[in-house]
Amino acid sequence: MSDRVVVSVPASVARDVDAEALIIRSGRSEEIVGAYRDVGARVHGIELSGFPADALKLAGLPSDLPVVIKLHPRDAAAVYANTWMADRFSLSVLMDVDQGLLQGVTIVTSAAVPVILNLEEIHDASELMSALRYYLHDRRCRVPVEFFHSAFIGCLRGAPVSLLQLYPESPGMNLYVDQALRVTASERLARAGRFFGHVCGGAQVDTSARLWTDLIDHKKNLFVSGSQCASCEAFHLCDGYLRFVDSGFNCEPFLEVFLEIKAKAREMAQDLSEAGDREE
C-alpha cells in the first residue's frame, strides 16, 4: 500500500492494520490512548464520537494533533466544557446535518472551533441555507464552516472545489475500515454495505470490484451514462457526490446553497475588481 493512503480505523483494531497513516476512531478516550500507545508514530489524526466523559485522558497526546469530534447539533454546547481541547489540539467539529444545524454551527464557531458539515448521513437539510447565510454574513463567524468555506473561496478564485474533493472517496488516497475489518472508501459506503476489501495485515483491496471501479471512474461514468448530475448547473461544486450512494437523493436544498455560494462569490469578485479600479 502506498504511504500516502490514509486509513481510518476503529481504535480497537488499530494494531491489526499495517498502514503508514492512520486515523483512529472511538467514543472512548481510553481506547484512543491505548491505540496511540500501540501505533503512535503512524497516527495522523483522531476522530471521537462526541466528547467522552473521560476526555481529560487525551491530554497526554501530542499537541496540535488533528482531532475531529462528531456531534449532533443539540450537543454543540459541550464544546464549552472542553475548551482545553481547542487549545491543545487542532480541533474541529464534524456536525450532523439535522434539525438545529444553525444553532449548533453558531455555538461551535462562537467558541472559535471550525465546523465541518457531516455529509456521511444527512437527516434534515432544511437549515442548510440559514447556516450558509450565517457563515457568509455574520461577523461573529470567524472560523471556517465546511463545505461552505472551500466552495466559496474556490468560486471566488475561479477554481471551484467540489464535495468530492472535500469529502474524498478516492480509494487510492483514503480507505475506511469497519469493526469487522472490511475495507471501503468512506463511512457512508460502509453504512450502505458497500466494500471492496478486508484487512489481512495491511488493507487488502480488490481493484476489480465494481465499487472500486465506480469510484475510480466516477465522473467519467456520470457523463457516459447520461446522468442528470452531469448537466446540473452546480455539478462542478458536487461532482455527483450527493447521489453516488442514493441516485434518488433530493439535492434541492444543496442546489440552493451552491447557487447562493456562486452568486455571493461573483458579487464579491465584482466588488474587489471595482475597488481595484478605484485605487488605480
Side-chain angles (χ1 to χ4, degrees), residues 12 26 36 40 72 97 140 152 171 180 186 195 233 241 248 253 260:
S12 59
S26 180
Y36 190 86
H72 188 276
V97 177
R140 293 172 297 174
F152 174 70
S186 70
F195 300 91
E233 58 187 316
Y241 174 89
E260 180 80 3

Side-chain angles (χ1 to χ4, degrees), residues 167-189:
Y167 300 86
E169 290 180 330
S170 170
M173 298 179 65
N174 301 86
L175 295 176
Y176 182 96
V177 177
D178 75 351
Q179 199 70 44
L181 296 180
R182 296 173 297 183
V183 178
T184 186
S186 70
E187 181 180 348
R188 69 171 183 160
L189 291 170

